[in-house]
Amino acid sequence: QVQLVESGGGLVQAGGSLRLSCAASGRFFSSCGVGWFRLAPGKEREFVAGISRAGVETRYADSMKGRFTISRDNAENTVYLQMNSLKPEDTAVYYCAATVQRIVTETSILDYWGQGTQVTVSS
């Protein structure tokens, strides 16, 4: 069993940066691919980024490439999402999710979810 807790969300002006953290409990975290998704009002859930078990391989949604960076520290059981050059359209609740598969991608079936953290970008 893996439990995920997100933090780091908040209010930021357009062009600013935030770093989200996903802290995991459970001895099998390093065996899980992990990813970030977001949900904005009136929109469907959207894949943001994914990272493989060892942190070697990453995936990004096209609109996040070059602005967002996903990373992980398995010694600390934590995954990060560095978000730069934020835009108002990045406003959403951001969720961390994990899978027993090697890596999280847009089409992954997720086994574990966090409760989400709100990110609001003002114009």
Side-chain angles (χ1 to χ4, degrees):
Q1 189 76 8
V2 175
Q3 295 177 327
L4 306 173
V5 178
E6 302 95 332
S7 62
L11 174 64
V12 64
Q13 289 188 332
S17 299
L18 281 175
R19 188 177 81 156
L20 306 183
S21 298
C22 173
S25 61
R27 56 190 295 187
F28 302 113
F29 180 69
S30 61
S31 300
C32 294
V34 182
W36 289 92
F37 293 77
R38 68 186 186 185
L39 184 62
K43 296 185 179 180
E44 293 185 353
R45 187 184 72 193
E46 181 181 21
F47 170 75
V48 174
I51 191 165
S52 62
R53 293 166 178 159
V56 174
E57 190 175 356
T58 58
R59 297 277 193 277
Y60 294 95
D62 287 343
S63 61
M64 286 67 161
K65 288 179 181 177
R67 298 191 301 127
F68 292 6
T69 302
I70 189 171
S71 61
R72 70 188 294 167
D73 183 341
N74 284 341
E76 296 294 328
N77 271 15
T78 304
V79 171
Y80 303 98
L81 184 68
Q82 178 67 43
M83 304 187 296
N84 299 327
S85 302
L86 283 163
K87 306 173 182 180
E89 51 264 44
D90 294 317
T91 295
V93 178
Y94 284 71
Y95 296 89
C96 176
T99 176
V100 297
Q101 303 303 310
R102 182 182 59 84
I103 186 172
V104 167
T105 67
E106 187 173 7
T107 59
S108 291
I109 297 174
L110 289 310
D111 300 290
Y112 308 101
W113 287 91
Q115 84 290 346
T117 186
Q118 176 71 47
V119 171
T120 302
V121 184
S122 63
S123 57

